[in-house]
Amino acid sequence: MRSDNVTKGMQQAPHRSLFNALGYTKEELDRPLIGIVSSYNEIVPGHMNLDKIVEAVKQGVAMAGGTPIVFPAIAVCDGIAMGHTGMKYSLVTRDLICDSTECMALAHQFDALVMVPNCDKNVPGLLMAAARLNIPTIFVSGGPMLAGHVKGEKRSLSSMFEAVGAYAAGKMSEEDVVEFENKVCPTCGSCSGMYTANSMNCLTEAIGMGLQGNGTIPAVYSERIKLAKHAGMKIMELLEKNICPRDVMNEKAFLNALAVDMALGCSTNSMLHLPAIAHEAGVELNLDIANEISAKTPNLCHLAPAGPTYMEDLNEAGGVYAVMNELDKKGLLYTDLITATGKTVKENIAGCQNRNPKVIRPVEDPYSETGGIAVLKGNLAPDSGVVKRSAVVPEMMVHSGPARVFDCEEDAIEAIKGGKIVAGDVVVIRYEGPKGGPGMREMLNPTSAIAGMGLGSSVALITDGRFSGASRGASIGHVSPEAAVGGPIALVEEGDIIQINIPENTLNVAVSEEEMEQRRAKWQPREPKITTGYLARYASLVTSGNTGAILKNN
């Protein structure tokens, strides 16, 4: 056992004396030491219940013969961080979470790990750590929030942001906004639509690192506690069998995750996180393959913000395994892969039927024959741009309009709410990429303002930043190369005609190459927005959005 390095032999007597100080008995030190990585805190709604999840995991580990030991991981609430400097500190925590977990796990020689994340960056950060460490690991998330109810309709956080836009347009009263404010987020848990947190928790199931229900059992259900106990017990089986993350997260598993991503209509942030996780697992996940998978993978779910159904509905319909079972009918999954259940994908999904074809469309009757995410390329995005195709209205799938150019999110929001953006416009927000932001802020405020003001079916938004999973509409993010490194998005001028063709996966600006070269010759890099602290260090190491915004030494 790895923990023998701190618990066995005369040379380890000093180590044992410190375990004595912690109150551990000889019997406990004779058992495998299982690290439980807890993302619990009192500022993130999706994490306020993780203390109960962690206690259940501890019980499961102890019942199965292990010694559970808890240590923390940080977490940022994207919703609270949205629309101000705080959003610069969201994506960047993914690497802090990964690095700090590596430090804790190796410094203390844990034999295996149970990861307990829930919200946006914790899930990919801990999956990255699992792949990097490659010791037996299983995940159990805190679960999704129940949908809110406003005026007899289910609602979620995206509805709240759009309500602010509707108020700015004079379409909603202050009293109505207050009602939304008090009702859209009724319980603890990760926000109730197919936003980034729920996307990544579902993809954790799809990739094989969590038990059935990890992505969909609501946070407030007692079934979630039982799931956590089973995860605690299961880690002892994985340790005994020496099933490690890289045994599970191989190239075919990532292709499975992409297929499920397309079927569910996940957040575009998955196109940042899956390549980053794959990188840590030693797998190159080129985004070009996303369109190949999308071309043959039907979109089966329209969960909020793409439609009127929520995570609780997906859970009742059969969850992620039911979606996978539908995909398997067309042979779209690799089913012989081992997973953290100790079984293969095929064994996991056997008998998992679709219990509500209105929530999970049958594979013979999908929302569309192609997947929920599209990767676009063209002279405006030579490397790539990403759009949640399933959340785009039909009339915006092909769009051409004049560029309205802004060099930061705040200026764009002021123009949108000030009525300066009109039908047909293409809002361009640049210098918000991984390096230029720094931190690649999410643009939920501008997309929600556009939707709330009734412009969602006539205005597009393009950025080298990214979008919340709660964004909907023709919102194209991750445009690479980003403006800060001189990508073409930095050369766009007010009034240039932007051409979007999502069915053909193209994104272009109607400007000749000669003109673009002249503009490029005049372009000068901007001074860094932040020159001290973690963000400055992050900006110096981060790569482009199309590579997952991973960190590399210069």
Side-chain angles (χ1 to χ4, degrees):
M1 287 290 174
R2 187 176 284 98
S3 60
D4 289 354
N5 292 322
V6 294
T7 60
K8 301 291 191 299
M10 183 56 65
Q11 197 67 29
Q12 279 64 44
H15 304 73
R16 289 194 296 275
S17 72
L18 293 168
F19 279 105
N20 288 334
L22 289 163
Y24 286 102
T25 66
K26 181 180 184 302
E27 290 82 359
E28 286 175 299
L29 297 184
D30 284 341
R31 296 177 172 185
L33 302 186
I34 310 300
I36 303 174
V37 188
S38 171
S39 299
Y40 169 77
N41 63 43
E42 295 181 346
I43 189 63
V44 184
H47 292 213
M48 64 177 283
N49 65 319
L50 295 189
D51 55 341
K52 295 176 178 60
I53 302 297
V54 166
E55 283 303 314
V57 172
K58 289 174 69 176
Q59 290 181 49
V61 169
M63 282 191 290
T67 298
I69 303 175
V70 180
F71 65 88
I74 63 168
V76 163
C77 176
D78 277 24
I80 294 174
M82 194 71 65
H84 54 87
T85 301
M87 182 44 68
K88 295 179 184 289
Y89 287 89
S90 171
L91 178 62
V92 304
T93 64
R94 187 184 71 181
D95 296 277
L96 283 174
I97 292 160
C98 177
D99 292 349
S100 61
T101 302
E102 174 195 357
C103 293
M104 290 293 289
L106 295 183
H108 302 104
Q109 292 293 285
F110 289 107
D111 295 305
L113 297 171
V114 182
M115 308 293 200
V116 188
N118 208 27
C119 290
D120 297 43
K121 308 308 162 304
N122 293 75
V123 185
L126 291 178
L127 282 166
M128 289 165 65
R132 183 185 296 179
L133 290 162
N134 202 36
I135 62 176
T137 302
I138 196 168
F139 278 66
V140 56
S141 78
M145 184 184 292
L146 293 178
H149 290 81
V150 183
K151 301 186 189 305
E153 294 185 7
K154 286 186 177 182
R155 297 290 189 177
S156 62
L157 184 65
S158 53
S159 308
M160 181 72 254
F161 276 90
E162 290 179 16
V164 175
Y167 174 77
K171 297 182 177 184
M172 187 176 286
S173 69
E174 184 175 348
E175 291 75 17
D176 286 335
V177 174
V178 171
E179 183 178 7
F180 270 76
E181 181 180 333
N182 289 327
K183 293 181 177 179
V184 297
C185 295
T187 71
C188 63
S190 48
C191 295
S192 56
M194 187 54 80
Y195 311 147
T196 305
N198 292 325
S199 294
M200 294 309 301
N201 282 325
C202 286
L203 295 181
T204 298
E205 273 189 71
I207 209 168
M209 288 298 293
L211 300 179
Q212 182 181 6
N214 178 74
T216 60
I217 298 171
V220 295
Y221 283 15
S222 298
E223 191 68 24
R224 175 65 55 179
I225 300 296
K226 293 165 66 177
L227 181 75
K229 291 177 181 176
H230 283 129
M233 290 185 274
K234 183 61 68 172
I235 192 60
M236 301 307 296
E237 178 187 332
L238 297 178
L239 177 61
E240 181 183 357
K241 294 179 177 178
N242 195 33
I243 297 174
C244 295
R246 292 193 188 187
D247 299 323
V248 175
M249 292 193 285
N250 54 39
E251 183 178 4
K252 290 180 179 178
F254 282 102
L255 297 181
N256 280 354
L258 279 173
V260 174
D261 190 335
M262 297 301 170
L264 286 172
C266 289
S267 164
T268 52
N269 280 313
S270 63
M271 295 294 104
L272 277 177
H273 299 323
L274 287 175
I277 299 161
H279 175 74
E280 294 291 350
V283 175
E284 183 180 350
L285 193 64
N286 191 316
L287 283 189
D288 289 344
I289 201 158
N291 284 340
E292 294 179 31
I293 292 175
S294 181
K296 61 184 180 182
T297 306
N299 177 225
L300 305 181
C301 299
H302 269 192
L303 295 143
T309 53
Y310 295 82
M311 295 305 296
E312 63 203 67
D313 302 311
L314 179 60
N315 187 62
E316 293 301 319
V320 174
Y321 280 9
V323 173
M324 295 176 75
N325 215 7
E326 290 288 347
L327 295 179
D328 191 42
K329 292 175 183 177
K330 290 189 69 174
L332 295 172
L333 297 177
Y334 296 96
T335 60
D336 59 342
L337 309 180
I338 193 67
T339 70
T341 67
K343 300 177 181 178
T344 65
V345 172
K346 191 169 192 64
E347 291 173 313
N348 287 342
I349 66 176
C352 295
Q353 297 304 311
N354 180 357
R355 297 194 292 266
N356 189 341
K358 292 181 180 179
V359 176
I360 304 171
R361 287 279 189 92
V363 75
E364 302 85 7
D365 181 32
Y367 282 102
S368 67
E369 294 291 345
T370 52
I373 290 178
V375 176
L376 312 183
K377 288 192 176 185
N379 69 350
L380 186 53
D383 291 337
S384 68
V386 179
V387 64
K388 188 171 183 174
R389 172 166 40 197
S390 59
V392 180
V393 295
E395 54 266 38
M396 289 298 289
M397 297 294 282
V398 178
H399 179 76
S400 181
R404 306 298 309 279
V405 182
F406 305 94
D407 286 351
C408 67
E409 178 189 5
E410 289 82 358
D411 290 350
I413 293 171
E414 183 179 349
I416 294 165
K417 292 187 174 178
K420 296 178 181 177
I421 303 301
V422 300
D425 285 347
V426 179
V427 177
V428 177
I429 305 177
R430 60 193 181 188
Y431 294 100
E432 291 284 8
K435 192 177 292 290
M440 204 178 186
R441 289 194 288 180
E442 287 184 343
M443 303 292 163
L444 180 55
N445 274 346
T447 58
S448 298
I450 288 169
M453 297 180 77
L455 296 171
S457 60
S458 59
V459 169
L461 196 155
I462 296 172
T463 181
D464 52 6
R466 59 196 178 94
F467 294 109
S468 164
S471 292
R472 61 187 177 101
S475 303
I476 301 167
H478 311 189
V479 170
S480 303
E482 63 174 293
V485 298
I489 193 172
L491 311 178
V492 175
E493 295 182 358
E494 189 80 8
D496 286 349
I497 300 300
I498 306 293
Q499 300 167 332
I500 302 164
N501 193 318
I502 296 173
E504 294 186 2
N505 303 317
T506 60
L507 177 63
N508 290 292
V509 55
V511 175
S512 69
E513 184 55 35
E514 292 76 17
E515 171 65 18
M516 292 293 276
E517 285 300 327
Q518 291 176 19
R519 295 180 187 181
R520 188 172 286 111
K522 297 175 183 176
W523 178 81
Q524 293 292 324
R526 303 286 181 93
E527 289 295 320
K529 294 177 184 177
I530 295 176
T531 57
T532 60
Y534 179 62
L535 284 181
R537 189 159 67 252
Y538 180 88
S540 71
L541 299 175
V542 71
T543 62
S544 177
N546 70 297
T547 60
I550 60 173
L551 302 186
K552 286 188 176 180
N553 292 327
N554 290 333

